[in-house]
Amino acid sequence: MKRGIRSYVLRQGRTTPSQQRALEQLMPAYGIEYRPALLDTRALFGRTVPLVLEIGSGMGETTARIAADNPGTDFIAVEVHGPGVGSLLKRIDAQGLKNLRIIRYDALEVLEQMIADGSLAGIHLFFPDPWPKKRHHKRRLVQPGFAALAARKLAPAGVLHAATDWPEYAAQMAEAFDAEPLLARAAEARARPSTKFEQRGVKLGHEVRDLVYRRR
Ligand SMILES: C[S@@+](CC[C@H](N)C(=O)[O-])C[C@H]1O[C@@H](n2cnc3c(N)ncnc32)[C@H](O)[C@@H]1O
């Protein structure tokens, strides 16, 4: 994918002292360093089970909950925002989650460089930044190039599960995913715990849409 325009802007934001401590002390245990080389997930988790990658885990409540509820699946969360990474590290530690690791880096680079083609059982993309202003639409993560990249990384029958509370972005996602030959709309709906960003949208009266596709 052509890069240059990022889907995020790193704002300073407030990192609490405990998030900062988590970043310093827990990252070596539960974090994965970004490297432009394929990840050896068997060595990382010590087993070979279905692997799900989450893009933009935010503060990580939903990520940790899904990992706790699915001990037979391994999860990699990718997030750029320091306070969010710190917060998820604390949850991994407090809940003793053995099946969840985090990478603090641009998820597109991680997908391209660290994840083998055809290797993911699932990709979670819950409430990516909607970038509502027209001049910012180019920052949206879901573009045709993203659909192709995600499809390529999924194993056959692997699931791409996206959600948004921004109807016009949902339409853009559906258009991009429908146009990708390797993806087919899944017949079944997929349940998931609600996320922090979603709850904010729902309070504002936004309608939430889930999009679920399977790799052919
Ligand atoms: C609107 S928030 C949603 C967070 C969470 N999924 C939720 O629903 O509460 C989007 C998140 O995606 C992260 N993000 C955006 N672009 C990203 C990228 N290219 N790689 C990794 N994280 C990214 C942002 O830092 C932000 O935390």
Side-chain angles (χ1 to χ4, degrees), residues 53-131:
L53 181 126
E54 179 175 6
I55 299 175
S57 43
M59 299 308 281
E61 311 84 338
T62 307
T63 310
R65 168 115 180 259
I66 293 175
D69 289 348
N70 294 278
T73 300
D74 287 334
F75 294 86
I76 294 177
V78 191
E79 174 56 65
V80 286
H81 185 237
V85 173
S87 161
L88 180 52
L89 286 167
K90 287 200 301 176
R91 285 174 203 280
I92 296 173
D93 195 50
Q95 297 180 37
L97 296 171
K98 303 265 180 283
N99 61 334
L100 173 57
R101 293 283 193 280
I102 184 157
I103 305 181
R104 184 180 182 180
Y105 209 76
D106 186 329
L108 295 178
E109 311 266 358
V110 170
L111 266 177
E112 266 169 8
Q113 303 292 337
M114 299 183 77
I115 302 295
D117 288 355
S119 68
L120 295 175
I123 296 176
H124 290 169
L125 178 62
F126 299 150
F127 305 90
D129 296 290
W131 293 110

